[in-house]
Amino acid sequence: MAIVIVDDSTLSLEVIKAFLITSGYSEVITVNSARELYELVDSYSDRGIVEIDLILMEIIMPDIDGIEACRNVKKREWLADIPVIMVTTTMKKENLQLAFSAGAMDFIKKPFDRMELLARVSSALRLKHETGRRKAREIELLEVTRQLQEANERLQRLSFLDGLTGIANRRFFDQELLQESRRAKREKTPLSLIMLDIDYFKAFNDTYGHIKGDDCLREVASILKKTLKRPGDIPARYGGEEFAVILPNTDDVGAEIIAKELRYCIEQARIAHINSPCADYVTVSLGVVTGFSEQAKTPKELILAADRALYRSKHEGRNRLNVEWIEKYTDFLKTL
Ligand code: GH3
Ligand code: MG
């Protein structure tokens, strides 16, 4: 705890210092001018630590007076919280006003009354201590708030992920499909959706067990993720062994190409499925739909249409895809 005394009078410096030392303040630094004070505080700044707890400063000094010095000290951000007590022989109102507006917190009259000096020093130090504690608490609080925010964001991310496969879950899918369908309407862009279901997955579980079944779901999810190239494409686990892929700004031609690629990549993974009537490996059936901008579709309509197409793929023998032409079909009907 260092107290700095600034006074051009050596006698004053010695008297104050003696009062303070005999009252138990061990670190008392004396300087003769504002310039010496600047040198002192600027060397503290290099180390980035505020070690001064109080400045006692004479108002009337040659060259730079105490008020100007106080103002300059307060301008230094790392010193702004250090209390400054002005020491004065003149009790002129204007001087005191100027001192307070320069940032001084109190004043002491010369000649000194020992008790008064010690009382003011002690209350200034208490205030400094309290301010320091409050600041530390604020910093602590800010840190806790930041950590909380981070934890919330992590939780939010987790609440949108499917626990088994690590891709987006149904909740995220619903939210994104709604957002994307609104965007498609607003920006007049096509929006495609693929629904994809593993063929004969019940038989897979029956043959290899649920643990292997889970592994298979994870592998299919990872193929979806790897195969989709655009960052905006969203693969999700729709439920059970059914997956969905949202393809923003993708027309029917593009969506069909991607669906074919997904089917092919899953087939090529050659995940053994000896009891599938389709093939010796895991295959999927897909339903594709595109909502065109002129008549933007709601998420529900898109899902129903993709499901219809998926159902046709199942019905026609599985391991294939079907496209549902909602807009084009209605547009075509209108031309008849
Ligand atoms: P289809 O070709 O018509 O789709 O036949 P399927 O056997 O795949 O379809 P079905 O709906 O009859 O069976 C789906 C199976 O998927 C039944 C269920 O136990 C299994 N399944 C759903 N979720 C999970 C899961 O998280 N892990 C595992 N291992 N199996 C699951
Ligand atoms: Mg299935």
Side-chain angles (χ1 to χ4, degrees):
M1 182 182 289
I3 300 175
V4 179
I5 316 167
V6 192
D7 202 319
D8 59 316
S9 149
T10 314
L11 179 65
S12 271
L13 287 178
E14 289 309 318
V15 171
I16 305 177
K17 187 172 178 176
F19 280 168
L20 294 175
I21 299 271
T22 51
S23 302
Y25 298 105
S26 54
E27 216 182 320
V28 180
I29 303 165
T30 55
V31 291
N32 277 109
S33 66
R35 287 192 195 285
E36 272 185 52
L37 174 68
Y38 297 163
E39 267 171 40
L40 178 74
V41 295
D42 287 339
S43 70
Y44 274 105
S45 84
D46 291 343
R47 284 184 277 153
I49 329 160
V50 179
E51 290 171 3
I52 300 170
D53 292 288
L54 174 64
I55 299 172
L56 292 166
M57 182 136 61
E58 164 64 52
I59 293 189
I60 300 176
M61 290 188 290
D63 193 10
I64 302 166
D65 68 23
I67 293 166
E68 179 65 22
C70 177
R71 192 174 298 120
N72 275 328
V73 163
K74 292 282 171 183
K75 268 189 209 153
R76 291 154 163 88
E77 204 189 316
W78 69 98
L79 301 172
D81 289 338
I82 299 178
V84 177
I85 298 179
M86 303 313 280
V87 178
T88 174
T89 37
T90 67
M91 288 298 286
K92 276 196 214 144
K93 236 193 200 159
E94 317 87 76
N95 265 354
L96 295 181
Q97 255 168 7
L98 279 172
F100 285 125
S101 67
M105 69 156 291
D106 203 353
F107 65 91
I108 302 173
K109 276 197 322 274
K110 273 182 185 174
F112 303 112
D113 174 88
R114 185 171 185 272
M115 293 311 287
E116 189 193 345
L117 175 85
L118 292 177
R120 285 175 194 261
V121 163
S122 138
S123 84
L125 288 173
R126 216 173 23 248
L127 185 83
K128 165 79 171 34
H129 184 63
E130 277 307 309
T131 312
R133 268 182 40 178
R134 208 196 58 232
K135 287 234 158 147
R137 268 207 306 275
E138 273 168 17
I139 290 171
E140 231 171 72
L141 211 68
L142 275 177
E143 175 59 16
V144 170
T145 312
R146 193 191 60 76
Q147 283 177 3
L148 212 69
Q149 206 168 342
E150 244 180 51
N152 269 338
E153 280 165 14
R154 219 172 23 244
L155 264 176
Q156 174 112 358
R157 272 199 304 276
L158 283 178
S159 73
F160 283 134
L161 290 185
D162 172 53
L164 179 73
T165 60
I167 61 171
N169 61 15
R170 173 71 177 272
R171 185 202 307 213
F172 189 70
F173 167 81
D174 285 342
Q175 181 187 297
E176 288 301 293
L177 189 60
L178 181 64
Q179 252 181 40
E180 289 303 334
S181 60
R182 282 180 182 155
R183 194 208 307 268
K185 189 173 177 179
R186 209 171 47 240
E187 294 175 5
K188 301 196 188 328
T189 50
L191 169 66
S192 294
L193 173 68
I194 301 173
M195 296 300 272
L196 176 157
D197 185 281
I198 302 178
D199 297 324
Y200 300 111
F201 196 56
K202 189 176 174 313
F204 186 96
N205 274 324
D206 294 344
T207 312
Y208 303 101
H210 269 81
I211 306 270
K212 286 268 182 235
D214 287 354
D215 289 345
C216 174
L217 290 173
R218 270 193 284 267
E219 184 154 2
V220 168
S222 122
I223 294 168
L224 295 185
K225 230 164 64 177
K226 260 191 297 198
T227 313
L228 296 166
K229 308 264 168 5
R230 284 202 216 163
D233 298 344
I234 303 163
R237 187 171 175 210
Y238 190 73
E241 23 80 80
E242 194 170 0
F243 294 87
V245 180
I246 303 171
L247 301 168
N249 202 3
T250 306
D251 65 11
D252 51 339
V253 179
E256 191 173 345
I257 292 171
I258 293 168
K260 280 181 175 162
E261 211 178 331
L262 293 175
R263 191 208 65 76
Y264 177 76
C265 289
I266 291 166
E267 187 177 56
Q268 286 307 300
R270 292 289 190 264
I271 308 165
H273 188 354
I274 48 164
N275 282 326
S276 164
C278 274
D280 294 338
Y281 39 82
V282 167
T283 58
V284 289
S285 298
L286 305 93
V288 188
V289 66
T290 302
F292 288 92
S293 51
E294 306 82 51
Q295 267 177 297
K297 289 287 145 194
T298 64
K300 198 171 164 191
E301 286 169 315
L302 284 172
I303 293 169
L304 282 174
D307 256 346
R308 279 199 300 273
L310 168 60
Y311 178 78
R312 281 207 305 278
S313 297
K314 290 279 181 193
H315 196 69
E316 288 167 9
R318 296 172 174 80
N319 192 19
R320 70 195 63 215
L321 63 99
N322 263 273
V323 180
E324 184 86 350
W325 304 101
I326 39 173
E327 299 301 341
K328 291 209 162 165
Y329 184 63
T330 42
D331 285 350
F332 168 71
L333 285 181
K334 274 191 243 151
T335 63
L336 293 178

